[in-house]
Amino acid sequence: MVNQELNSNFSNLCRKDILALDIATHTGFYCLHGHGTWNFTESKRRNNNKQHKDFRDTLINYIVAHGIRHIVAEDVNVNNYFSDMRKLSEFRGILYEVCDSLDLPEPTFINVATLKKWATGNGRATKPDMMRACVEKYNFQPADDNVSDACHLYHYYVRKYRIN
């Protein structure tokens, strides 16, 4: 039933409407409009410690500039580190707020092990394995593992939901 609802709600989505994110302090992004890694490292010199506002503003500006209508993101995976869990949870909350503010549907989150298994055949694939799979599957050379994960998220989502 959930998949039927997703398919009917997003049946008019095109590949150009989707933005994939690997959310972290270094957020990988991938869509038909571009790809890369946004750096949200907190520093008094860089952004006066306004990491959360920078994350929000960057998302809003990118979504609006490119007409993004749906976001797919890697689900929070923190390896039991409290500070990682807190940071990723904060960014995830900001993503929900951005979607609400722009009247977008809630983001779709993909389990990390599921993504790794789909991309490489190994649910415990390493960062180099995931980067290598981008080259082998899509002839795409990612600049780093953040972009690699975002690339796989994008392709996983468009294939799973048969987005044209």
Side-chain angles (χ1 to χ4, degrees):
M1 175 90 175
V2 172
N3 282 345
Q4 288 175 342
E5 288 174 21
L6 269 176
N7 286 333
S8 66
N9 289 340
F10 303 136
S11 63
N12 60 349
L13 279 179
C14 298
R15 291 176 184 225
K16 68 176 179 54
D17 300 328
I18 298 166
L19 171 63
L21 299 172
D22 178 21
I23 300 172
T25 301
H26 294 98
T27 296
F29 70 97
Y30 185 94
C31 68
L32 293 185
H33 308 285
H35 54 81
T37 301
W38 293 315
N39 182 356
F40 301 111
T41 303
E42 207 158 36
S43 162
K44 287 185 180 184
R45 276 183 325 157
R46 199 178 81 72
N47 65 4
N48 200 24
N49 285 332
K50 294 186 177 151
Q51 178 183 50
H52 298 95
K53 182 176 181 339
D54 192 21
F55 179 74
R56 182 182 187 281
D57 291 348
T58 299
L59 281 178
I60 288 174
N61 291 337
Y62 198 86
I63 291 166
V64 170
H66 298 291
I68 300 300
R69 296 180 43 228
H70 189 66
I71 296 172
V72 59
E74 194 172 72
D75 211 352
V76 174
N77 183 22
V78 295
N79 301 320
N80 297 321
Y81 293 108
F82 177 75
S83 60
D84 290 344
M85 180 176 61
R86 181 177 59 206
K87 182 60 61 188
L88 292 175
S89 296
E90 290 166 354
F91 281 177
R92 184 174 167 146
I94 292 167
L95 176 59
Y96 274 104
E97 188 275 331
V98 164
C99 289
D100 287 348
S101 294
L102 297 176
D103 200 28
L104 297 177
E106 287 190 358
T108 300
F109 290 97
I110 308 299
N111 175 277
V112 175
T114 299
L115 184 66
K116 288 180 176 192
K117 176 83 172 167
W118 179 81
T120 69
N122 177 1
R124 295 178 182 248
T126 63
K127 292 176 182 188
D129 293 338
M130 294 291 280
M131 291 177 71
R132 194 169 28 260
C134 274
V135 174
E136 292 169 2
K137 289 180 122 178
Y138 317 116
N139 197 28
F140 172 70
Q141 183 66 53
D144 60 29
D145 61 285
N146 304 300
V147 179
S148 170
D149 289 353
C151 175
H152 287 299
L153 285 163
Y154 177 87
H155 288 287
Y156 174 88
Y157 184 84
V158 297
R159 182 161 181 179
K160 181 175 181 177
Y161 294 106
R162 296 186 173 113
I163 307 294
N164 294 321

